[in-house]
Amino acid sequence: MEFTTQELSSIAKNFADLFEQKIVDKGERRISVIEHDLRASLQKLAQLIMAELLVELEPERENRIDCECGGELAFERRRGAKIKSSFGWVSYERDCYGGCVCGQGKSPLDESLGIEPGKISPELARLLALVGVELPYEASSQLVEEFLLLHLSENSIREETQRFGQYQVEREERLIEQTEDEVYLQERLRSFSEKEYPQRLYGSLDGAHTRIEDPEETEKWREVKVGCWYEVEVVSPSQRNSRHRKQEEIGQQALRAKKQQYYCDIQSVDEFAPLFWARACQARADFARELVFLGDGAKWIWKLVEHFFPNAVQIVDWFHAEERLEKVAKDAFGNAEKRDAWLEESRSALWEGDVEFVIRACHQLSKVSREAADAETYFENNKKRMRYDRFREKGYMIGSGTVESACKQIVSQRLRCSGAQWKVEGARLTAKARAARLSKNKDWQFLSSMRAGLPLAA
Ligand SMILES: [Zn+2]
């Protein structure tokens, strides 16, 4: 729905005349003040327009209408109500019916438009959740006030954001139920043609801790497990940034992730497994011609991958492996020159896929360095996941940053930002809402539709 300039020009002219009078009365000549006052006035106008519209949209009055219970309701009277919209409170009147034996009343206008009287409108809710997934709730409240000229408490924004997270929980629960049902899985198998199977699909999993301030919880830190399904594309020369050029310098193709689908939870591995499988099915990982999995060295990650996708290519994210070498070098050498030489040599051996060399190099330092001893075990346990020479030859993304950035974007940037204090459930729901928002599928639109009480497309 859009208006032409022509359609609105006479209204604009009238409004401008009114507004100009106010400016003259006030003696105001600063554009900043004029613009701000105009925003406030338009907001007030929008409130009135919305109230008028609601009257216009009232369904035709009837003497009797059906009640949910199967009984009958009779017209009683017009009653006032209000909703908190993105323009502020809108007050309106509508027909109300009552008198059924069940004691329930009804307003056909509210029902047909999906209005919950006294509550926040779906559109305002969507905007609040959008800010709430980005910023701490207190900062959200301040930002909303500037942008919408409305005061909304920290609590309202928290509530709306976490409601989006709760909707995501409900969607995921449904998905888990479906993907544990053999009949559903068989039907699903028939519903896709082979052309729709992903060629090369990537998965990543990671965990990061967040602090919990809950007197009822014994653990102060809980691990948020974050997963991502995605595809990879070659970055065109004109779009390459300094990170891509650096990749190219060391002989790695400039690659980047696309179509990311994020999911997360605060659970044990066993509790998390059904979600892992459900979201894998949603990404069609079980149909993928080739599945590449990136993670750090954490055992739970590879346990899950091996259980559900024994044929997946497993890769320890290059950045994690490299970081490990840096830790050893720092711990084992006091002399900067020796440290750099050791690091340089083992890093290039690792890059060439010579993990045995790296294991020996760590072993030699294991008597003097605890880090080196631990790293030796780490490289030994993960050596088949570090054949970086082969992985590069195949064109796999070996150090996506996606593993890190999924956790970084969800846990570090939102849950761990300063001023944030969490109970487990609040952290969990906020993280889920944020994961949906960051995903490049339709997750966020689905949640918005659920908030608006609209039927879901799929
Ligand atoms: Zn009834």
Side-chain angles (χ1 to χ4, degrees):
M1 184 178 349
E2 213 175 295
F3 291 101
T4 62
T5 306
Q6 216 173 4
E7 282 172 311
L8 295 178
S9 63
S10 69
I11 299 170
K13 180 82 180 72
N14 284 340
F15 195 82
D17 289 344
L18 262 177
F19 197 76
E20 194 204 344
Q21 201 49 55
K22 296 266 177 199
I23 297 169
V24 171
D25 290 350
K26 206 174 161 187
E28 185 57 66
R29 300 285 308 169
R30 287 166 302 168
I31 190 66
S32 59
V33 179
I34 292 173
E35 185 173 345
H36 187 273
D37 288 357
L38 182 56
R39 283 212 295 143
S41 310
L42 287 174
Q43 185 174 41
K44 181 128 199 215
L45 180 66
Q47 276 172 31
L48 296 173
I49 293 173
M50 207 154 148
E52 290 285 338
L53 268 175
L54 291 178
V55 173
E56 301 287 331
L57 293 170
E58 176 81 68
E60 206 162 316
R61 186 175 303 166
E62 293 180 61
N63 290 330
R64 300 194 159 274
I65 58 171
D66 293 338
C67 180
E68 238 91 283
C69 74
E72 267 195 344
L73 291 160
F75 172 73
E76 279 186 335
R77 61 191 170 96
R78 283 181 75 73
R79 228 183 257 168
K82 55 182 191 168
I83 48 163
K84 192 152 197 179
S85 73
S86 49
F87 312 118
W89 284 109
V90 172
S91 302
Y92 63 106
E93 275 199 347
R94 78 282 198 239
D95 287 355
C96 287
Y97 294 71
C100 179
V101 282
C102 75
Q104 293 293 310
K106 195 188 224 178
S107 147
L109 177 76
D110 292 348
E111 206 176 77
S112 67
L113 295 178
I115 294 175
E116 293 177 279
K119 300 273 172 64
I120 285 174
S121 74
E123 174 63 3
L124 178 57
R126 190 181 66 83
L127 296 173
L128 297 184
L130 215 47
V131 186
V133 295
E134 297 292 344
L135 296 173
Y137 294 124
E138 195 190 344
S140 298
S141 170
Q142 291 160 7
L143 196 69
V144 164
E145 189 148 4
E146 291 292 330
F147 274 77
L148 294 181
L149 307 178
L150 292 178
H151 177 72
L152 283 135
S153 69
E154 215 178 305
N155 274 341
S156 316
I157 299 173
R158 177 184 299 115
E159 212 171 280
E160 290 300 340
T161 307
Q162 295 184 358
R163 183 158 9 167
F164 272 58
Q166 182 55 40
Y167 290 145
Q168 185 68 341
V169 169
E170 288 163 23
R171 293 184 67 218
E172 286 176 342
E173 278 172 356
R174 221 166 20 241
L175 195 65
I176 288 171
E177 219 170 276
Q178 287 174 331
T179 51
E180 282 175 353
D181 174 9
E182 270 311 314
V183 179
Y184 171 84
L185 289 177
Q186 286 299 324
E187 268 169 29
R188 176 173 165 272
L189 187 62
R190 283 190 292 272
S191 70
F192 291 118
S193 74
E194 290 195 14
K195 272 185 289 184
E196 292 169 290
Y197 293 0
Q199 283 300 319
R200 182 179 278 181
L201 188 73
Y202 285 77
S204 70
L205 273 178
D206 201 5
H209 285 79
T210 194
R211 196 176 160 77
I212 301 296
E213 308 277 348
D214 190 343
E216 287 173 20
E217 291 283 329
T218 47
E219 285 176 74
K220 279 279 168 228
W221 290 87
R222 294 288 300 270
E223 187 187 46
V224 187
K225 295 184 167 64
V226 184
C228 183
W229 293 104
Y230 56 102
E231 291 174 28
V232 161
E233 65 186 356
V234 177
V235 186
S236 71
S238 64
Q239 291 182 321
R240 285 176 198 171
N241 59 26
S242 60
R243 190 170 57 86
H244 298 131
R245 283 190 290 275
K246 219 173 138 195
Q247 281 178 2
E248 283 183 304
E249 275 168 28
I250 51 173
Q252 160 89 342
Q253 243 187 328
L255 300 170
R256 73 171 159 216
K258 61 171 184 177
K259 299 187 185 171
Q260 293 94 323
Q261 304 180 22
Y262 297 100
Y263 57 98
C264 57
D265 217 320
I266 302 179
Q267 289 172 317
S268 69
V269 192
D270 291 339
E271 290 165 334
F272 187 70
L275 179 64
F276 173 72
W277 170 245
R279 296 295 304 246
C281 291
Q282 193 184 34
R284 302 180 192 171
D286 51 334
F287 296 155
R289 302 258 181 238
E290 195 178 18
L291 199 61
V292 182
F293 224 94
L294 276 113
D296 62 11
K299 287 201 180 89
W300 66 269
I301 293 173
W302 303 115
K303 201 178 118 189
L304 272 183
V305 173
E306 262 155 33
H307 178 76
F308 289 100
F309 300 105
N311 297 321
V313 178
Q314 299 180 7
I315 303 178
V316 166
D317 191 281
W318 169 255
F319 295 113
H320 284 288
E322 194 185 26
E323 205 177 39
R324 216 48 206 251
L325 290 177
E326 281 161 12
K327 268 193 198 160
V328 174
K330 219 171 140 193
D331 189 50
F333 295 96
N335 177 309
E337 212 170 298
K338 281 187 181 160
R339 180 180 62 215
D340 292 347
W342 185 89
L343 188 58
E344 185 52 43
E345 199 180 20
S346 32
R347 189 193 276 134
S348 57
L350 188 62
W351 182 256
E352 294 307 331
D354 193 352
V355 192
E356 294 298 345
F357 179 93
V358 177
I359 294 170
R360 283 196 304 276
C362 289
H363 180 74
Q364 280 161 11
L365 296 174
S366 61
K367 291 242 159 52
V368 294
S369 156
R370 182 64 204 268
E371 285 288 349
D374 290 350
E376 186 188 350
T377 317
Y378 171 81
F379 285 109
E380 183 63 46
N381 289 345
N382 288 294
K383 60 184 171 192
K384 66 169 184 177
R385 305 186 182 109
M386 297 185 176
R387 297 302 315 270
Y388 296 116
D389 54 335
R390 286 197 207 161
F391 300 152
R392 283 185 293 124
E393 221 167 81
K394 289 254 192 185
Y396 297 145
M397 191 184 231
I398 58 165
S400 60
T402 308
V403 182
E404 306 219 294
S405 74
C407 257
K408 206 179 277 169
Q409 291 189 79
I410 292 168
V411 185
S412 320
Q413 288 181 0
R414 183 61 187 88
L415 297 189
R416 277 209 220 131
C417 53
S418 69
Q421 283 201 344
W422 302 105
K423 295 199 169 179
V424 178
E425 194 58 6
R428 177 175 180 247
L429 295 180
T430 304
K432 279 186 183 281
R434 183 161 171 82
R437 174 63 190 153
L438 292 172
S439 292
K440 290 179 178 152
N441 58 8
K442 292 205 166 134
D443 276 0
W444 186 259
Q445 279 110 296
F446 275 125
L447 305 185
S448 306
S449 298
M450 286 172 84
R451 180 60 180 82
L454 299 173
L456 299 181

